[in-house]
Amino acid sequence: MLPLMVDDPEVGALVDREKTRLQETINLIAAENQCPSSILEAQGSVYALKAAEGYPGHRFHAGCIHTDSLEQLAVARCRHLFGADHANVQPHSGVAANLSVYFAMLDIGDRVLSMKLSHGGHLSHGASASMTSRCFQFRHYGVAPDTERIDYSGVAALAEEWRPKMIVAGASSYPRLIDYQRLADIAAGVSAYFMVDMAHLAGLVAAGAIPSPVPHADFVTFTTYKTLMGGRGGVILCKKPYAAPIDRSVFPGCQGTPAINMIAAKAVCFHLAANAAFRAIQHQTLANARCMAEEFAGRGYRIVSGGTDNHLVLIDLRPMGLTGDEAEKRLEAVGLIVNRNPIPNDRYDPQTAGGLRLGTPAITVRGMQETEVKRIVDWIDAILKDPNDPKIIPKIRDAIAELCRHFPHPMVP
Ligand SMILES: *Cc1c(COP(=O)(O)O)cnc(C)c1O
C-alpha cells in the first residue's frame, strides 16, 4: 500500500503540477468549478470497487447492503434539494443523462426541437457531430437577432409546424434566464414532452438564486460538477409517471454498473448544497457575473444580450477584429483561463470563434468579490487591447500571481 507518488511518481508529479496550476491561475471557465475535498474523498473511497447493477433492493450483485443505503440517501437528498418527484443518480455524465431520457421516451427517428448549438445549445441536443442527431430528427430554435434572447414566438411557430415529440430547453452559453413556463405551454400545446438540461445552472437553482425548471418540466437533467460544485457526474429528475421508464433506460438501457463512489460524492454534494454557505457562494457568483458584464460594457465591449442573469458573460470580440481563439491564447499566457465561444450568427468556425465565454463560479469559491472582478476585467482589457506592449505582460502576470496567493483555493488539498 504505497502513496501515489511512490507507486507511480510520473502520475503523482502530474497531479501535483495540476494542483499548482489551479493555485497559480485564475479560472474563468463557466463550465468548471472547485469541489470540497470531502467530495474528492468520497470519489476516492472503497465504493469505487463495488459492482452493483440495478437499483437499491433489486441488485444483480450481492454485498450491496451499504451501497443500497448510500444510493437511497443520495436519491432522497437530491429529491428534497430540487423538490423533484423522482431522481436517478446513476448517469455517469450530463450527456449520459440526456441519452437516457431520449431513449426512455423517444423511438428512433422521432422529432425533437432544441436550441441551436451555435446560439448557445449543447452538442447532445442534436448537433450534427453528436450521435443524437443520427438517432432522432432534430430541428433547432435560436435567439432573436435584435435581443439575443430566445425567440419564444419562433419556438411556438416551429413547434406548430414540426410537431416534435419532445422540446428540449437548456444551454451551455446562454447568459439569460429561460422562461420555462412559456416553453412548457408551447410543449403542452403540441402534446410534446418538455425536457430541461440545467447542467450549467444546477447550483444556482439549488440555492434558489434563479428560478427552477423542476415544476415546469417532465424531465430535468444536470451535471454535478459545474455550479453545483459536486465533482463529475450526471443526474435525471422526472415527474412520477416517468420514473419507471427513466430508471429502465439508465439501467439496463444505456449503462451497466453505476459508479457507486461517484454516487457517494453526489450524496455529499446534495447535503452541502442545502447549507447557507453554499447559497451565499451561488448568490455571490451571480453578483460577480453581473459586475463583470457591467465592467466590460463600461470599457466598450459588446456583451451578447447586453448583460447576464446567471454565472456567465459572453463577449463579442468581432467588433475589435479579434478571434476567440487568439484571445484565449493571449490570456492563458498570463494565467487567465477562459474559453473561446461562438457568438450567435458567428461567421467563424467553432475552433476559432468570435467570442469569449467567461464564468464566475470558480473565482467566487476562492472568495473573490466585485473588487477582484474589476481588477481581472482591467487585466483582460489591457491584454486584449494592447497585447504587444512589452511592459504590460510581466506586470499583469505578477499581479495575477499575487492575487492567486491572496485567494488560495480552499478546496485544493
Ligand atoms: C456541460 C453540459 C453537458 C455535458 O455534460 P458532460 O458531463 O460533459 O457529459 C450537457 N448539457 C449541457 C447543457 C452542458 O452545458
Side-chain angles (χ1 to χ4, degrees):
M1 298 296 280
L2 298 171
L4 176 61
M5 203 45 116
V6 180
D7 235 356
D8 185 342
E10 204 173 350
V11 171
L14 285 169
V15 171
D16 272 359
R17 268 182 240 155
E18 178 63 4
K19 283 184 193 172
T20 307
R21 186 192 70 84
L22 281 171
Q23 291 291 14
E24 294 182 352
T25 57
I26 291 175
N27 184 3
L28 297 167
I29 294 183
E32 284 183 17
N33 212 339
Q34 257 35 75
C35 78
S37 53
S38 55
I39 283 175
L40 295 179
E41 192 182 331
Q43 287 183 355
S45 70
V46 287
Y47 281 115
L49 312 175
K50 190 73 198 92
E53 274 182 342
Y55 291 97
H58 309 276
R59 301 285 188 187
F60 291 86
H61 300 92
C64 288
I65 175 167
H66 306 305
T67 296
D68 282 5
S69 304
L70 179 66
E71 183 165 347
Q72 280 161 342
L73 183 63
V75 167
R77 285 176 173 176
C78 183
R79 287 181 53 209
H80 182 71
L81 183 65
F82 292 103
D85 290 356
H86 180 71
N88 187 307
V89 297
Q90 293 194 1
H92 297 316
S93 70
V95 170
N98 291 347
L99 290 177
S100 291
V101 175
Y102 299 154
F103 284 112
M105 308 314 299
L106 305 173
D107 291 313
I108 295 295
D110 273 348
R111 293 191 292 267
V112 187
L113 184 58
S114 65
M115 190 157 175
K116 218 178 282 188
L117 178 63
S118 60
H119 285 203
H122 190 262
L123 281 164
S124 61
H125 301 178
S128 59
S130 159
M131 70 160 71
T132 54
S133 70
R134 284 164 49 187
C135 299
F136 311 108
Q137 299 182 67
F138 278 84
R139 282 182 65 181
H140 297 105
Y141 59 87
V143 298
D146 49 341
T147 59
E148 294 177 303
R149 294 173 190 234
I150 292 173
D151 173 14
Y152 293 96
S153 39
V155 180
L158 260 174
E160 278 297 331
E161 180 210 322
W162 174 240
R163 294 272 153 180
K165 194 160 167 189
M166 180 180 281
I167 295 179
V168 178
S172 51
S173 56
Y174 183 65
R176 293 303 186 169
L177 298 180
I178 297 172
D179 188 341
Y180 300 119
Q181 184 57 55
R182 193 152 172 201
L183 292 171
D185 290 343
I186 294 170
V190 296
S191 304
Y193 297 119
F194 181 40
M195 165 178 152
V196 176
D197 177 349
M198 62 167 185
H200 266 260
L201 308 176
L204 300 167
V205 168
I210 61 170
S212 170
V214 174
H216 308 284
D218 299 310
F219 316 95
V220 174
T221 59
F222 61 92
T223 54
T224 42
Y225 61 88
K226 295 177 180 169
T227 49
L228 194 55
M229 299 171 64
R232 300 214 88 71
V235 174
I236 302 170
L237 308 176
C238 69
K239 299 282 189 224
K240 191 126 214 123
Y242 307 119
I246 287 293
D247 285 352
R248 274 197 307 274
S249 183
V250 174
F251 175 85
C254 293
Q255 293 188 175
T257 48
I260 305 299
N261 55 323
M262 303 314 246
I263 290 176
K266 286 170 190 173
V268 179
C269 156
F270 303 139
H271 172 64
L272 296 178
N275 291 343
F278 177 88
R279 284 195 293 276
I281 288 175
Q282 300 297 323
H283 283 280
Q284 187 62 44
T285 299
L286 286 185
N288 282 351
R290 216 174 304 124
C291 169
M292 184 175 279
E294 282 163 13
E295 292 294 316
F296 275 113
R299 287 164 179 76
Y301 287 81
R302 196 184 87 75
I303 306 300
V304 171
S305 83
T308 181
D309 301 322
N310 58 28
H311 62 301
L312 67 88
V313 179
L314 204 54
I315 303 177
D316 186 358
L317 297 173
R318 297 170 306 175
M320 311 172 62
L322 196 61
T323 66
D325 183 38
E326 192 181 339
E328 181 188 301
K329 289 199 175 88
R330 276 191 209 169
L331 294 170
E332 183 165 10
V334 294
L336 292 162
I337 310 301
V338 306
N339 71 275
R340 62 186 176 278
N341 209 91
I343 299 300
N345 306 313
D346 212 332
R347 67 191 148 81
Y348 293 109
D349 64 279
Q351 284 300 333
T352 311
L356 285 182
R357 184 186 68 169
L358 306 177
T360 53
I363 58 166
T364 306
V365 170
R366 286 176 94 155
M368 296 187 196
Q369 300 192 341
E370 286 86 342
T371 313
E372 290 74 39
V373 168
K374 286 176 193 168
R375 295 187 66 195
I376 291 169
V377 172
D378 272 336
W379 297 327
I380 295 175
D381 179 45
I383 285 163
L384 295 186
K385 284 187 180 153
D386 208 356
N388 297 318
D389 185 336
K391 287 195 300 291
I392 288 184
I393 302 289
K395 243 168 75 183
I396 292 179
R397 212 183 277 131
D398 289 349
I400 287 172
E402 197 215 305
L403 185 74
C404 288
R405 278 195 298 277
H406 216 82
F407 290 90
H409 267 300
M411 293 167 183
V412 175

